[in-house]
Amino acid sequence: MKRVALLMESWKRAFTYAWPSGILKKINETGEDISLYIFNASANWSQDTEYNRGEHNIFRLPDLTEFDGILVDLNNTADQGVLRETLDRIRSSGVPAVALNNRFPGLYSVGINNKLAMREILQHLWVSHDCRRFWFIMGPEDNFENRERESAILDFLTEKKIPGEDTAFYYEDFDHNTGVHGFRQLYESRNALPDAIVCANDNIAVGVLSEAERQGRIAPDDFLITGFDDLDKSRYYTPRITTVSFTREDAGYESMSLLMDIWNGYQPEQERFTRSRTILWESCGCRIRHASDMRKKMKENILWSAEESYFEANKLALESRMMQAATIQELMQAIPDSIPSFHCDSMHLVVDKSFSLLDRERDAFDFERRSQEMDESLLRDAWPSEMDVMLAYENGRLRSVGGGHVSGLFPFFNTEKKGQTFLFLPIHFRGRCVGYLAVENAVYLMEHQFVFAVVHALSTGMEQLYNKRRMANLNKALSILYNHDSMTRLYNRTGYEEFAERFYQKLLDEYSGASVIYMDLDRLKEINDSCGHEAGDYAILCVADLLRRFTTEDTMCFRLGGDEFLVLSRETDESELRRKLGRIREELLMMQKEKNIPVEFSVSAGYVIAGPEERDDLERLVQEADDRMYRQKISRRVNRGA
């Protein structure tokens, strides 16, 4: 089986389904054993550079050397750094690559001849309508198709020796507003309308016509106008707009054909053009030679609207359920009910392992630690090495929720069936790329322009839960810090005053006894003075860690001062208490030697074992344990000769 990667960026939030449609048509016609893997970003609609970074990270997901062919549509990628990086990766892969409707060094190219098509429009206006004064309202200056169309215009102006005062250019985007803005600016700055307004595409032409009508000007009575791309609006607007017609699917079809030629040992031409033709409508004053089937179009719109309403209802239900989820597991379980409305064969949600583990934190501090780990991991421009499949939906049923590890795309996202497509979409929190969604045979989503809506709903739901969980745990952590020592995470003196008495009474009720242990870290001042406060902090943390390790579940540990600790425990066996204290001292010595700290780590400790009759005596018992600890400390100091 051969694998083909398609790296593409949507125009704003509109997925260009024509590319995979044409590619799959060629694959199905030939019966070749080929699967298509689509990696799609939707960044150029946003002004948020961090968001765009998260979208573009999908181009870094595949190892391109694992593919047999690469197809590229980066015409809408405005970030030149991302464009250069992606093209460099494609070239260094050594895999044959074809650019769709663009031209890049080292890549083959397939698309219409934009220059020739634009020249035909200009020639028609010049010869058939005697146009001599022109306005040109164009798309983005750095867009390949716009540059090609502009190049044809400049060549034509030079050839016909049209003076500069008879022309005007306006550049913005390929959308309706560009036409509105362009007409408004040029109309206000010029004394008269031109003979013709030539637009870089049909969206722009519609914008021009709507703004001109607002200004009391109508085409073709006051000026002629042309578009490009033969979008539906060109033939159903009033007036219908002269345009250039071509089938984008043809470029996808021919790009796949070109790859097959290479695989079969042929040496194809570097650039391959698909067919285009000029469609003349009344916007340029021509007689209508073809009719538009309005009833057919209305039927399509009605059916499309019904599909959109059904999908939107399911999406809203999904968003509502995701909003109510309290855990990542609940979030994942909210998704499958909506998947049948996506009409796909399978759907897998793959996330960074740090994200998948956020439900498993032991406490608020652990959650915050995992959150920080995830932040550090996901802010890298490389994909994380450890990823988990959080959701696997296959063949109409939920296979699993959470837990499955995945490394690389293959063989996990592979298939034995011919002509399969896998659509990969980034899941990210602005610049943090959390993971990706992989959808098998997403024709319905691609064709109906639901791709962005699906991935945006999932990303938003996951980010809302993450932020909700993080905020709750931060509040919890703040509450804990109030009665916990920030360094050791043991209870502090406030925690002692709030919980100790109640816990002591609980031990007496449930175990008919309790032990009160007062402990002091020996020679802390000497450690700080001779080895530095980092060594002193380390010694304190060692004691805290050992108290947690060598105490039972029914224990509370407190740090009451810089080097003083208190333990309330159910342990009433005196020999067991002495054994544990001995183990703590042994472990402390080992920890000190591991760090090569020259001052010995040790503790002095005093303990008291209380029975049920001493229910009201906690303060007295703490004082007694403290006194015993102090006497031991003096004795140990004498024995050391200090």
Side-chain angles (χ1 to χ4, degrees), residues 40-56:
N40 185 78
S42 298
N44 68 8
W45 67 275
S46 170
Q47 300 301 311
D48 184 347
T49 55
E50 282 297 299
Y51 176 90
N52 295 342
R53 177 186 177 193
E55 283 291 316
H56 284 140

Side-chain angles (χ1 to χ4, degrees), residues 414-522:
N414 218 339
T415 179
E416 298 300 321
K417 294 180 284 188
K418 297 180 180 179
Q420 300 298 96
T421 63
F422 288 94
L423 174 63
F424 294 85
L425 304 164
I427 302 290
H428 58 98
F429 305 162
R430 293 189 69 222
R432 292 175 289 176
C433 200
V434 179
Y436 61 87
L437 184 68
V439 188
E440 183 181 4
N441 295 333
V443 171
Y444 178 82
L445 295 179
M446 295 187 291
E447 185 177 18
H448 286 79
Q449 297 300 324
F450 296 150
V451 169
F452 180 84
V454 168
V455 75
H456 186 260
L458 293 178
S459 292
T460 301
M462 291 170 69
E463 185 172 14
Q464 285 174 338
L465 174 64
Y466 171 72
N467 289 335
K468 184 166 61 176
R469 291 283 308 282
R470 190 164 192 179
M471 183 60 68
N473 279 277
L474 282 172
N475 289 333
K476 185 178 176 183
L478 287 173
S479 175
I480 290 173
L481 284 173
Y482 172 72
N483 48 45
H484 281 69
D485 173 51
S486 60
M487 179 191 294
T488 63
R489 305 283 171 86
L490 301 180
Y491 286 101
N492 57 18
R493 186 165 291 278
T494 302
Y496 171 80
E497 293 171 355
E498 187 171 347
F499 302 118
E501 180 66 39
R502 196 175 349 164
F503 184 72
Y504 174 68
Q505 299 299 331
K506 175 177 176 287
L507 292 177
L508 295 182
D509 289 341
E510 295 184 7
Y511 302 105
S512 300
S515 57
V516 180
I517 308 164
Y518 209 101
M519 192 177 295
D520 184 276
L521 176 62
D522 295 332

Side-chain angles (χ1 to χ4, degrees), residues 43-254:
N44 68 8
W45 67 275
S46 170
Q47 300 301 311
D48 184 347
T49 55
E50 282 297 299
Y51 176 90
N52 295 342
R53 177 186 177 193
E55 283 291 316
H56 284 140
N57 215 27
I58 197 69
F59 295 152
R60 301 185 180 100
L61 176 63
D63 178 353
L64 297 177
T65 63
E66 296 183 322
F67 292 87
D68 302 283
I70 303 170
L71 304 176
V72 186
D73 169 22
L74 300 177
N75 302 330
N76 299 313
T77 304
D79 189 320
Q80 294 303 301
V82 170
L83 183 62
R84 285 192 299 272
E85 178 195 329
T86 306
L87 290 172
D88 286 346
R89 289 183 61 239
I90 291 169
R91 294 186 189 104
S92 64
S93 72
V95 176
V98 183
L100 293 154
N101 278 10
N102 211 324
R103 195 183 300 119
F104 299 114
L107 276 64
Y108 293 93
S109 176
V110 171
I112 70 162
N113 191 328
N114 283 280
K115 288 184 178 180
L116 180 60
M118 180 58 81
R119 180 178 178 82
E120 287 180 359
I121 282 184
L122 294 169
Q123 189 69 19
H124 173 75
L125 293 171
W126 180 272
V127 173
S128 301
H129 300 289
D130 200 29
C131 293
R132 295 297 183 268
R133 293 177 298 112
F134 297 89
W135 289 355
F136 301 101
I137 303 184
M138 310 300 293
E141 293 186 76
D142 59 354
N143 178 274
F144 173 79
E145 292 176 288
N146 189 74
R147 291 199 310 268
E148 291 286 286
R149 295 168 193 181
E150 178 194 35
S151 177
I153 291 168
L154 295 175
D155 289 346
F156 184 83
L157 295 177
T158 301
E159 177 189 318
K160 301 301 183 184
K161 299 180 181 178
I162 300 174
E165 59 266 23
D166 288 340
T167 63
F169 283 83
Y170 178 87
Y171 299 88
E172 190 176 331
D173 206 336
F174 284 126
D175 58 12
H176 174 275
N177 283 337
T178 298
V180 173
H181 300 157
F183 182 85
R184 187 180 298 160
Q185 179 171 312
L186 296 177
Y187 187 65
E188 290 172 356
S189 63
R190 299 280 163 157
N191 294 325
L193 285 167
D195 300 325
I197 300 177
V198 177
C199 300
N201 79 345
D202 297 333
N203 289 328
I204 297 172
V206 169
V208 168
L209 289 168
S210 64
E211 178 62 18
E213 187 174 346
R214 195 181 71 82
Q215 302 271 10
R217 301 293 188 169
I218 299 173
D221 297 350
D222 297 309
F223 61 92
L224 308 185
I225 186 168
T226 64
F228 209 106
D229 291 343
D230 192 22
L231 304 178
D232 281 348
K233 52 182 63 98
S234 69
R235 63 185 64 197
Y236 296 107
Y237 199 77
T238 301
R240 285 174 282 193
I241 302 167
T242 292
T243 188
V244 172
S245 176
F246 60 93
T247 306
R248 288 185 178 270
E249 283 81 356
D250 289 349
Y253 184 95
E254 286 301 325

Side-chain angles (χ1 to χ4, degrees), residues 629-641:
M629 178 276 296
Y630 185 71
R631 288 195 296 272
Q632 186 183 91
K633 193 175 191 71
I634 296 297
S635 174
R636 291 167 64 82
R637 188 180 299 164
V638 170
N639 290 337
R640 285 198 305 270

Side-chain angles (χ1 to χ4, degrees), residues 249-263:
E249 283 81 356
D250 289 349
Y253 184 95
E254 286 301 325
S255 67
M256 193 67 245
S257 179
L258 194 151
L259 282 180
M260 289 180 178
D261 287 346
I262 295 172
W263 295 337

